[in-house]
């Protein structure tokens, strides 16, 4: 099909629909020129799993230039041996291009009991990160803390977000929980300093990661703006306290995914004091399924809340709401906890609590109709009578919600 418009004009038009992947695919089928223009947006963000690896490998092998378009690489691998040669070969191709800005890696070793992390694959990952000096976001599962030299990423002056996340129980939900800086891909996003602004830490790796960062002269925690926590453990508490000694005056936002209080049988008496975060203005708690209200209440009691919070949000999925509906004693615990936060003197600037219910990927209308039938006045009587509980329905997945951690 002959081109009616010049390619530079078409390129600008396509740029405006760069996030509309289905339409980009349709446009790319019309002509070789349009395919060339669309491919750099289609391949800007790539996810690799054990199911998609073979197809993507064959595509990149047939057209190696496509690897140079990849800026956001997310690997979520389970169910097949880690020694897969296709994965190693594919990563080598992407590493040669050196264009990555976002790198996320989740490989669940517990799906293959007794399997060790292959040295060849580990070496491939290290080479990949070394070759990409524009990396801004790096997220790795907890299990990679001992396998991945932190110095590889901390010496990168563009690094903005470093995360080690807990991925044993809910790997698929947590895998997509990154918050991308504005316009971080295919644009002129510029980081104005060499400081880490977002740190995400899970259970087992938390203390090791933070201790290493605190002792690393090439990275500073003193300009940290956003702290993301997963679950709760004594190591996590110790890690948070290390962070507080360096960044208590700079952290503006705290996000906590499934907050938990560590086992009291441990001999440690250390407590993380979130009250020290005097500059934090926003806090979000994420929970799904059978939310443990007791753990959330205990966490808020144990760790406290930043004193100058202006927004406090609890993000849940429909399954969590239905669990509260059918277990009123659980909802009562939350109601009391929320009411205590608002009517106490802990957060004087806080005016309301936002309960954000995010809908699933499928059957959204049915979910919404069922949720509309829930009597929130009866579910949270204390909060409803005070007029300080805000209920919000959002038509996106829990993964999308966590992605909005900014």
């Amino acid at each position: 099909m002959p081109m009616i418009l010049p390619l530079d004009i078409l390129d600008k038009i396509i740029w405006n629909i760069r996030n509309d992947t289905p339409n980009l695919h349709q446009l790319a089928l019309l002509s070789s020129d349009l395919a060339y223009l669309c491919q750099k947006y289609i391949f800007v963000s790539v996810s690799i799993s054990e199911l998609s690896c073979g197809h993507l490998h064959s595509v990149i092998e047939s057209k190696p230039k496509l690897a140079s378009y990849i800026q956001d690489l997310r690997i979520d691998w389970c169910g097949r041996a880690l020694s897969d040669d296709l994965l190693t070969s594919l990563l080598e191709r992407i590493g040669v291009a050196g264009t990555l800005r976002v790198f996320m890696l989740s490989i669940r070793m517990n799906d293959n009991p007794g399997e060790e992390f292959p040295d060849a694959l580990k070496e491939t990952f290290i080479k990949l990160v070394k070759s990409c000096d524009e990396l801004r976001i790096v997220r790795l599962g907890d299990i990679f803390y001992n396998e991945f030299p932190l110095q590889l990423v901390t010496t990168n002056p563009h690094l903005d977000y470093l995360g080690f996340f807990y991925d044993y129980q809910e790997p698929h939900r947590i895998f997509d929980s990154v918050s991308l800086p504005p316009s971080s891909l295919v644009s002129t996003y510029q980081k104005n300093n060499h400081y880490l602004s977002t740190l995400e830490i899970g259970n087992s790796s938390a203390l090791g990661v933070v201790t290493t960062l605190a002792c690393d002269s090439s990275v500073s925690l003193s300009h940290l703006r956003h702290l993301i926590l997963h679950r709760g453990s004594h190591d996590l508490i110790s890690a948070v306290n290390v962070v507080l000694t360096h960044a208590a005056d700079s952290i503006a936002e705290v996000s906590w995914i499934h907050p938990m209080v560590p086992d009291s049988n441990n001999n440690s008496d250390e407590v993380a004091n979130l009250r020290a975060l005097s500059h934090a203005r926003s806090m979000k708690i994420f929970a799904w399924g059978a939310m443990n209200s007791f753990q959330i209440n205990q966490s808020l009691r144990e760790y406290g809340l930043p004193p100058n919070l202006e927004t406090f949000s609890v993000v849940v999925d429909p399954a969590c709401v239905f669990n509260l509906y059918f277990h009123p004693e659980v909802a009562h615990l939350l109601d009391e906890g929320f009411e205590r936060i608002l009517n106490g003197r802990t957060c004087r600037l806080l005016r309301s609590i936002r309960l954000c219910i995010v809908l699933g990927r499928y059957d959204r209308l049915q979910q919404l109709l069922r949720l509309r039938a829930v009597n929130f006045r009866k579910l949270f009587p204390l909060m409803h009578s005070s007029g300080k509980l805000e209920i919000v329905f959002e038509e996106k997945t829990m993964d999308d919600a966590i992605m909005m951690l900014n």
Side-chain angles (χ1 to χ4, degrees), residues 326-382:
F326 291 112
H327 297 85
E329 71 282 359
V330 179
H332 179 68
L333 271 176
L334 272 186
D335 194 25
E336 281 191 333
F338 293 165
E339 199 269 343
R340 187 177 61 251
I341 291 170
L342 280 170
N343 294 334
R345 296 184 178 180
T346 308
C347 307
R348 289 167 295 179
L349 302 179
L350 194 62
R351 295 292 176 264
S352 66
I353 288 180
R354 183 183 178 96
L355 182 66
C356 180
I357 305 167
V358 293
L359 306 182
R361 198 171 266 114
Y362 307 106
D363 300 324
R364 291 183 175 179
L365 180 59
Q366 183 180 355
Q367 292 177 49
L368 192 57
L369 290 173
R370 290 180 65 195
L371 286 167
R372 292 293 188 190
V374 174
N375 188 337
F376 288 98
R377 180 183 304 178
K378 185 177 179 180
L379 204 59
F380 300 109
L382 294 176

Side-chain angles (χ1 to χ4, degrees), residues 117-252:
F117 196 86
D119 289 336
L121 189 56
K122 180 168 68 172
E123 190 62 31
T124 302
F125 282 131
I126 292 174
K127 286 180 180 178
L128 175 69
V129 174
K130 274 184 176 179
S131 64
C132 302
D133 55 7
E134 291 289 322
L135 272 175
R136 287 155 187 177
I137 297 171
V138 175
R139 294 186 73 245
L140 306 170
D142 257 354
I143 62 173
F144 292 102
Y145 168 62
N146 292 322
E147 306 285 351
F148 204 93
L150 273 180
Q151 289 75 12
L152 282 180
V153 290
T154 56
T155 53
N156 188 324
H158 296 284
L159 187 68
D160 188 71
Y161 183 125
L162 178 63
F164 283 85
F165 57 96
Y166 183 91
D167 68 345
Y168 295 102
Q169 299 298 324
E170 298 93 3
H172 293 290
R173 288 189 183 277
I174 293 176
F175 176 67
D176 284 334
S177 63
V178 69
S179 58
L180 300 177
S183 308
S184 62
L185 301 176
V186 202
S187 70
T188 56
Y189 167 71
Q190 295 293 330
K191 188 162 177 267
N192 296 322
N193 56 56
H194 293 175
Y195 303 107
L196 202 62
S197 68
T198 302
L199 178 64
E200 177 183 9
I201 47 179
N203 271 350
S204 60
S205 66
L207 185 57
V209 168
V210 170
T211 302
T212 302
L213 291 175
C215 298
D216 190 340
S217 59
S218 64
V219 66
S220 172
L221 294 175
S222 61
H223 289 71
L224 204 62
R225 299 283 298 167
H226 190 179
L227 180 63
I228 304 173
L229 309 174
H230 285 263
R231 297 181 172 266
S233 69
H234 290 283
D235 277 356
L236 185 69
I237 289 174
S238 299
V240 169
N241 285 332
V242 173
V243 172
L244 292 179
T245 62
H246 292 269
D249 293 335
S250 65
I251 294 175

Side-chain angles (χ1 to χ4, degrees), residues 281-314:
R281 296 294 183 266
S282 173
M283 184 168 181
K284 293 180 182 177
I285 287 177
F286 292 83
W288 48 79
M291 177 169 58
N292 192 328
S293 300
F294 175 76
Q295 284 286 0
I296 291 179
N297 267 347
Q298 283 295 100
S299 300
L300 297 178
R301 283 177 179 270
E302 279 292 316
Y303 308 131
L305 289 172
N308 296 313
L309 280 185
E310 295 175 0
T311 61
F312 181 83
S313 304
V314 181

Side-chain angles (χ1 to χ4, degrees), residues 317-333:
D317 64 358
C320 181
V321 176
F322 299 140
N323 179 64
L324 293 174
Y325 186 70
F326 291 112
H327 297 85
E329 71 282 359
V330 179
H332 179 68
L333 271 176

